[in-house]
Amino acid sequence: MQTITSKENSLIKHICKLKEKKYRNEYNQYLIEGVKLVKEAIEEHANIEYIIISEEAKSSELVAKYLKNVLQSTEYIQVPNNIFKLISEVEKPQGVLAVIRKNLEDIKIDYSQDIILALDGIQDPGNLGTIIRTADSVGLTQILISKGTADPYNSKVIRSTMGAIFRVNIIECDNFSKTLKMCQENNYKIIVTSLESKQSIYDLKLKKKVIVIGNEANGVSKESLELADERAIIPMLGKTESLNASVATGIILYEYVRQKISH
Amino acid sequence: MQTITSKENSLIKHICKLKEKKYRNEYNQYLIEGVKLVKEAIEEHANIEYIIISEEAKSSELVAKYLKNVLQSTEYIQVPNNIFKLISEVEKPQGVLAVIRKNLEDIKIDYSQDIILALDGIQDPGNLGTIIRTADSVGLTQILISKGTADPYNSKVIRSTMGAIFRVNIIECDNFSKTLKMCQENNYKIIVTSLESKQSIYDLKLKKKVIVIGNEANGVSKESLELADERAIIPMLGKTESLNASVATGIILYEYVRQKISH
């Protein structure tokens, strides 16, 4: 155990920088906060660079319950509560935070999966995190994201994934259209949802499909629309004409589950 | 058009109070903010008591696009931008806000619907709003909520409903179990989701069913579990064992849609 007591300490300053996307990109690191997330990161063998624990947290019940063994066997840094507040991004910190190194390997797309999820400009961090969580729950091991999508290493995204961020490969595509075309070359059909389509998602055979989920306000981009092999609609029975993006994604991914288990 | 220029004005003070649940309950009023929500409130004939417009907003493009006719035909109150900032609850206000009277009629449960959605302790305002939006999209006209559920008139909830709050009756149940029993007496079966169940939601016939959605962390209450006629699981294929509450609700409600349109 190390102890840091000055807020001028270079690691403390470095951690504060990681709250901003630009520094997360520069250093290829991101922050996770909270007892459960740190526990998941350890269990999933994420690349943990530092674990920071506040004085208060060391004797908290929550930490005792979830991280007792960790604190006995892992290197961590202890800081006073007032310094923890500086690095924390939540109102009521649990006093546990870690710096994680992004997975920098050149991740190849796994073309053996039935479904590839491709996010085309999802903006809301809560939506993005929930989508990653849902994708993990149906066994997807990867998600493609376009340049215009929110930063998956934003703290709100991470929180909403409930740990799924450590299991799902997030593949950031420099050229989204090109990546979609590569999927087509590997025998996938590109599916976009469209309010104008007459084809219901329930009539699609959800196998070897790339599901493109568009931006909350504007839907999928023109480029993706042009590449689409099929357009499909989630049929609605009420007056509301649109669904929350993470709910829409859940509906489509679980239609895939339904088809898979009923065969 | 009226103008208010003092922040000591009693209406301005009253509006600020409505940011708190206790005053929303006391006055049976709530706030909605933003051009689109106010437009929806007018179109859906919500009980609008006041419309407040900032000076800046009067000449904004957004207001011109959506509310031009309204401003010509409806009473509204104009306030300087600095006063609008006081009453606004968002970082970047559009300068349009309204005070709505809650629907105080003694709303009876409509037992003609195929599905009744019952929320048993949903805590996150974003989840609650998204669930209301999703329910509206499948044609549900009512939602039962337990005492322990978040306030549906909270501004974050309202925003997430995207206007569905004006179409769906929110029935706050003083005695949730008693209400569920009344549904049973009216030939509904109570369905709860449970990770321990072996019965898949895809094997349920979703007709004359009350779907109980539990709290994000703890699931459905003991009382509701005891009343349940059937327990069902959303089958998952990955490692994550739980879903976001609004995604889970969406999956079940759209399985209802799928069954409905395929018969």
Side-chain angles (χ1 to χ4, degrees):
Chain A
M1 188 194 84
Q2 254 187 287
T3 305
I4 293 176
T5 53
S6 161
K7 60 183 183 182
E8 300 303 325
N9 175 284
S10 61
L11 179 60
I12 299 300
K13 286 184 169 174
H14 177 73
I15 290 175
C16 286
K17 278 185 174 176
L18 293 176
K19 295 178 186 179
E20 287 177 55
K21 180 179 176 178
K22 119 177 139 170
Y23 293 110
R24 290 192 293 267
N25 285 344
E26 183 176 334
Y27 295 109
N28 287 309
Q29 292 173 319
Y30 62 99
L31 303 175
I32 62 170
E33 189 171 349
V35 171
K36 285 189 184 173
L37 266 180
V38 171
K39 181 171 179 275
E40 287 253 23
I42 294 165
E43 288 172 358
E44 298 291 338
H45 308 289
N47 304 314
I48 301 177
E49 307 220 308
Y50 305 97
I51 297 178
I52 319 283
I53 314 261
S54 75
E55 269 167 16
E56 199 170 38
K58 267 201 75 177
S59 52
S60 83
E61 268 180 50
L62 210 59
V63 169
K65 185 173 169 192
Y66 290 103
L67 289 177
K68 203 181 164 198
N69 297 333
V70 174
L71 296 193
Q72 284 167 353
S73 61
T74 313
E75 265 305 300
Y76 67 92
I77 296 164
Q78 187 178 308
V79 300
N81 301 337
N82 64 323
I83 290 191
F84 196 91
K85 276 206 175 133
L86 281 181
I87 58 176
S88 169
E89 292 185 84
V90 300
E91 255 181 62
K92 295 178 187 162
Q94 294 177 347
V96 180
L97 181 147
V99 177
I100 312 285
R101 177 156 292 275
K102 292 185 192 173
N103 189 353
L104 289 177
E105 288 168 58
D106 188 19
I107 304 164
K108 295 269 182 297
I109 298 175
D110 174 1
Y111 292 115
S112 72
Q113 295 232 305
D114 292 335
I115 296 289
I116 294 175
L117 189 62
L119 307 182
D120 189 7
I122 291 289
Q123 277 307 299
D124 181 80
N127 280 343
L128 179 54
T130 302
I131 289 172
I132 296 170
R133 177 181 179 188
T134 309
D136 182 38
S137 80
V138 306
L140 304 193
T141 56
Q142 62 194 355
I143 293 180
L144 312 178
I145 68 173
S146 71
K147 283 240 160 193
T149 300
D151 180 16
Y153 302 103
N154 169 309
S155 64
K156 277 188 204 162
V157 175
I158 304 277
R159 265 201 302 283
S160 306
T161 71
M162 302 287 276
I165 190 77
F166 307 123
R167 289 185 290 272
V168 177
N169 286 325
I170 310 293
I171 304 178
E172 302 187 62
C173 309
D174 285 331
N175 186 329
F176 196 64
S177 297
K178 201 174 149 194
T179 308
L180 292 183
K181 277 181 205 156
M182 273 165 50
C183 293
Q184 284 174 319
E185 285 160 18
N186 283 275
N187 303 315
Y188 283 83
K189 299 279 185 207
I190 310 291
I191 309 291
V192 300
T193 57
S194 158
L195 286 175
E196 280 104 54
S197 174
K198 291 218 163 59
Q199 167 156 269
S200 152
I201 57 149
Y202 300 118
D203 296 329
L204 290 176
K205 200 174 162 212
L206 291 172
K207 201 162 182 190
K208 286 281 167 188
K209 298 286 192 293
V210 176
I211 313 288
V212 183
I213 305 292
N215 171 273
E216 288 89 342
N218 308 314
V220 292
S221 63
K222 198 166 138 269
E223 293 78 12
S224 302
L225 265 179
E226 277 167 11
L227 278 173
D229 295 293
E230 292 186 75
R231 299 182 184 201
I233 189 167
I234 298 177
M236 298 182 200
L237 305 175
K239 191 174 166 188
T240 292
E241 276 209 328
S242 77
L243 287 164
N244 167 283
S246 64
V247 171
T249 309
I251 292 165
I252 299 172
L253 292 183
Y254 274 82
E255 171 59 11
Y256 155 66
V257 173
R258 190 192 67 79
Q259 293 183 9
K260 180 125 179 154
I261 61 178
S262 66
H263 284 120
Chain B
M1 188 195 82
Q2 253 187 289
T3 306
I4 292 177
T5 52
S6 161
K7 61 183 180 180
E8 300 303 323
N9 177 283
S10 60
L11 180 61
I12 298 301
K13 286 184 168 175
H14 177 74
I15 290 175
C16 286
K17 280 185 173 177
L18 294 176
K19 295 178 186 179
E20 288 177 53
K21 180 179 175 178
K22 120 178 137 168
Y23 292 111
R24 290 193 293 268
N25 285 344
E26 183 177 333
Y27 295 110
N28 287 308
Q29 292 174 319
Y30 62 98
L31 304 175
I32 63 171
E33 188 169 351
V35 170
K36 284 189 184 174
L37 265 180
V38 171
K39 180 170 179 274
E40 286 253 23
I42 294 165
E43 287 172 359
E44 298 290 339
H45 307 289
N47 304 315
I48 300 176
E49 307 220 308
Y50 305 98
I51 296 176
I52 320 283
I53 313 262
S54 74
E55 268 167 14
E56 200 170 39
K58 269 201 73 176
S59 52
S60 83
E61 266 180 52
L62 210 58
V63 169
K65 184 172 168 194
Y66 290 103
L67 289 177
K68 202 179 165 198
N69 297 333
V70 174
L71 296 192
Q72 285 168 352
S73 62
T74 312
E75 263 308 300
Y76 69 91
I77 297 164
Q78 186 177 309
V79 300
N81 301 338
N82 63 325
I83 290 192
F84 196 90
K85 276 204 176 134
L86 281 181
I87 58 175
S88 169
E89 292 184 83
V90 299
E91 254 180 65
K92 293 177 187 164
Q94 293 177 346
V96 180
L97 180 148
V99 177
I100 312 285
R101 176 155 292 275
K102 291 185 192 174
N103 189 354
L104 288 178
E105 286 169 61
D106 188 19
I107 305 164
K108 294 269 181 299
I109 298 175
D110 175 1
Y111 293 115
S112 72
Q113 295 231 305
D114 292 335
I115 296 288
I116 294 175
L117 189 61
L119 307 182
D120 190 6
I122 290 289
Q123 277 305 301
D124 180 81
N127 280 344
L128 179 54
T130 303
I131 289 172
I132 296 170
R133 177 181 179 188
T134 309
D136 182 38
S137 80
V138 305
L140 304 194
T141 58
Q142 62 196 355
I143 293 180
L144 311 180
I145 68 173
S146 71
K147 282 241 158 188
T149 300
D151 180 16
Y153 302 103
N154 168 308
S155 63
K156 278 188 204 162
V157 176
I158 306 276
R159 265 201 303 282
S160 306
T161 72
M162 302 287 276
I165 190 77
F166 307 123
R167 290 185 289 272
V168 177
N169 285 327
I170 309 293
I171 304 180
E172 303 186 63
C173 309
D174 285 330
N175 186 329
F176 196 63
S177 296
K178 201 173 148 191
T179 308
L180 293 183
K181 278 181 204 155
M182 274 165 49
C183 293
Q184 283 173 321
E185 284 160 19
N186 283 275
N187 302 319
Y188 283 82
K189 299 279 186 207
I190 310 291
I191 310 291
V192 300
T193 56
S194 158
L195 287 175
E196 280 104 55
S197 174
K198 291 216 163 59
Q199 167 156 268
S200 151
I201 57 150
Y202 301 117
D203 295 329
L204 290 176
K205 200 173 163 210
L206 291 171
K207 201 160 180 188
K208 286 283 169 185
K209 298 285 192 292
V210 176
I211 312 287
V212 182
I213 305 291
N215 170 274
E216 288 89 343
N218 308 314
V220 292
S221 63
K222 199 167 137 270
E223 294 77 15
S224 302
L225 266 179
E226 277 167 13
L227 278 172
D229 295 294
E230 293 185 76
R231 298 179 184 203
I233 190 167
I234 299 177
M236 298 181 198
L237 304 176
K239 191 174 167 188
T240 292
E241 275 209 327
S242 77
L243 287 163
N244 167 283
S246 65
V247 172
T249 309
I251 291 165
I252 299 172
L253 292 182
Y254 275 81
E255 170 59 13
Y256 156 66
V257 171
R258 190 192 66 80
Q259 292 183 9
K260 181 125 178 151
I261 61 178
S262 66
H263 284 122

